[in-house]
Amino acid sequence: MTNPEAYIGKYIQVFDKNNALIAAGLCTSLKPNYKNILYVSFDDKWFYGNKNLIFKEVEYTDSIIPNEPPECLIWDYWRNHPNRQTEVDVYRDFSYDEIDEPIRAYVDQLNQITDEIQTCDSCCGHGISNWFISFRFKSISSLSKFLKVLATFQDQLVLVSNSTHLQFDSQVMLQLKPSESLDQNFVLLEKFIKRLTREFEFNRK
């Protein structure tokens, strides 16, 4: 496909080089790679890449999602992606149902503010370390509003990018986290959510 994001919402079958069916289902999410390799997922956990595997779009297919990839495939966690780059056939990421429980309610609130900004990654070390939340911005205006709110925190919160947060043509992914001091009780995060909610509510009036 010319536009990789067009895979979302399509039924895809994944075959190995011997034409054996590896996985299949409705594509729910994907990740890009440095060398124009695309990774599709049917469960937001396992992401199959099209360097050594073959994608076939079909009108419909039953879901085939192995608990783990076949032994013949190389897999690794997505967090190791910058070091592995093109050698991995399948990446494992952490899905919504695996969110750290202490931060789950805050992630839910953020996802309800607007469709223009959605969370795509989060962690708080199960409540014993600092948190971070990654966001997918679908428009410049939504990013602008986000930055406007962020500026009110006077460097207590920062927005960063790294090599695992790559850009699609129409979206930008960035990560929000406390700048230095711990925010284990999510005081800063709670304030940020309230201000961001007000910002979008004001602009809808």
Side-chain angles (χ1 to χ4, degrees):
M1 293 184 181
T2 303
N3 175 19
E5 294 172 73
Y7 276 110
I8 298 293
K10 299 292 179 64
Y11 287 99
I12 305 296
Q13 294 176 325
V14 180
F15 298 86
D16 67 12
K17 60 183 179 180
N18 297 316
N19 208 35
L21 184 61
I22 300 297
L26 185 69
C27 179
T28 58
S29 55
L30 48 84
K31 295 181 184 296
N33 185 278
Y34 299 117
K35 303 296 182 180
N36 296 318
I37 302 173
L38 187 69
Y39 292 85
V40 301
S41 179
F42 311 114
D43 60 357
D44 302 325
K45 296 180 182 180
W46 295 102
F47 289 80
Y48 297 84
N50 64 348
K51 179 185 179 182
N52 299 315
L53 303 176
I54 301 167
F55 297 169
K56 180 181 178 181
E57 183 184 342
V58 294
E59 289 188 9
Y60 175 79
T61 179
D62 290 330
S63 293
I64 301 174
I65 306 174
N67 291 329
E68 289 190 5
E71 292 184 3
C72 61
L73 301 182
I74 300 173
W75 76 270
D76 199 353
Y77 289 100
W78 179 250
R79 61 173 176 256
N80 299 325
H81 169 258
N83 299 321
R84 302 299 298 272
Q85 296 195 17
T86 62
E87 64 184 280
V88 176
D89 299 308
V90 186
Y91 276 107
R92 171 70 162 90
D93 208 351
F94 297 97
S95 64
Y96 184 82
D97 60 3
E98 297 174 290
I99 292 176
D100 285 350
E101 195 58 39
I103 204 172
R104 180 184 295 273
Y106 301 102
V107 171
D108 287 342
Q109 291 176 53
L110 286 163
N111 284 325
Q112 292 171 4
I113 294 175
T114 174
D115 290 338
E116 291 297 301
I117 301 175
Q118 292 295 292
T119 64
C120 51
D121 190 15
S122 66
C123 183
C124 67
H126 301 288
I128 61 174
S129 62
N130 239 345
W131 58 265
F132 71 77
I133 301 175
S134 299
F135 294 87
R136 184 180 292 115
F137 299 89
K138 297 184 179 180
S139 67
I140 295 299
S141 62
S142 63
L143 176 58
S144 177
K145 294 170 188 174
F146 193 98
L147 293 174
K148 179 181 177 181
V149 173
L150 181 64
T152 66
F153 283 82
Q154 301 178 339
D155 298 327
Q156 291 179 296
L157 298 174
V158 295
L159 195 63
V160 300
S161 179
N162 59 48
S163 55
T164 65
H165 296 112
L166 307 178
Q167 298 183 15
F168 291 106
D169 291 340
S170 61
Q171 300 180 13
V172 178
M173 297 168 64
L174 297 169
Q175 187 180 95
L176 180 73
K177 62 181 182 179
S179 56
E180 294 182 3
S181 59
L182 290 176
D183 187 32
Q184 289 180 323
N185 295 322
F186 305 104
V187 174
L188 290 174
L189 179 56
E190 188 168 357
K191 289 180 179 178
F192 180 84
I193 293 172
K194 289 180 179 178
R195 294 180 191 179
L196 188 66
T197 301
R198 285 199 299 268
E199 177 67 22
F200 276 89
E201 287 178 345
F202 176 81
N203 281 276
R204 280 196 290 264
K205 293 179 180 179

